[in-house]
Amino acid sequence: MIDINTGHIVVNFEIKLGPDIDFEVTNSFNIDKSITDFKNGYKWIHFENLKVNELYLNVNVCFHNEKTKMITFVVSETEFKAKRWENWSEQEEMEKIAVYENWLTTIVGVRREFNWGKISIDYDIKGGRTTISILYNKQKSKK
């Protein structure tokens, strides 16, 4: 699923996300998505309930000047449903950190920094959400 040599997230044989996959290619994938364009060079593509093997992922891909800058995602064994603040729990988010850490260790090992970028688990206290983040190193321009 996460290729530690390239930083790609491989969804299936047709869909791959990563540092060398630009906005146009990612937007061309024939799956449900939504787009946020901040009109300042930053755009996001959001995918919900992507099925990868036996897991579901909600994936957000951040682009700057059409190049992939970062991917954030959450993982679940069941389909995601709309969350309501009444059901939110800080303890549940803290438990996700441990679950995600174990999951990442199974998928990529203990390393979190690679030649293409780094992977982290981030808890956003204001947003009340825990995500896995892949921040890619700046890509060299192809000439």
Side-chain angles (χ1 to χ4, degrees):
M1 176 168 142
I2 300 175
D3 185 326
I4 62 171
N5 296 312
T6 63
H8 289 130
I9 295 178
V10 180
V11 176
N12 59 39
F13 68 94
E14 295 175 340
I15 299 173
K16 177 170 70 168
L17 307 169
D20 57 342
I21 313 294
D22 65 20
F23 179 84
E24 185 178 335
V25 170
T26 305
N27 192 33
S28 73
F29 297 143
N30 190 24
I31 54 177
D32 287 341
K33 62 189 157 291
S34 62
I35 297 171
T36 305
D37 185 347
F38 289 99
K39 307 289 186 200
N40 62 359
Y42 283 92
K43 296 179 186 177
W44 288 80
I45 297 180
H46 315 278
F47 301 99
E48 291 188 10
N49 285 311
L50 282 180
K51 184 92 157 105
V52 180
N53 300 323
E54 300 301 313
L55 298 173
Y56 292 90
L57 279 70
N58 280 356
V59 179
N60 301 295
V61 186
C62 174
F63 300 88
H64 183 249
N65 296 328
E66 307 297 315
K67 298 188 184 310
T68 304
K69 182 174 181 69
M70 175 174 58
I71 297 175
T72 65
F73 62 99
V74 292
V75 179
S76 176
E77 293 179 348
T78 59
E79 280 191 51
F80 290 95
K81 295 176 176 51
K83 280 269 201 176
R84 299 176 54 103
W85 279 111
E86 299 89 54
N87 302 332
W88 180 84
S89 156
E90 185 173 21
Q91 180 178 341
E92 186 179 304
E93 292 303 314
M94 295 297 109
E95 290 168 1
K96 280 183 190 175
I97 292 172
V99 168
Y100 287 170
E101 187 62 49
N102 288 336
W103 182 80
L104 266 182
T105 299
T106 300
I107 299 297
V108 301
V110 295
R111 282 181 58 199
R112 296 294 180 259
E113 293 195 26
F114 304 89
N115 62 349
W116 45 262
K118 66 181 183 175
I119 302 174
S120 61
I121 299 166
D122 302 307
Y123 172 60
D124 176 2
I125 195 164
K126 290 181 181 179
R129 169 179 168 138
T130 304
T131 59
I132 298 170
S133 300
I134 300 176
L135 181 61
Y136 294 109
N137 296 331
K138 189 172 182 171
Q139 298 295 304
K140 295 179 178 144
S141 297
K142 295 177 182 173
K143 295 182 180 184

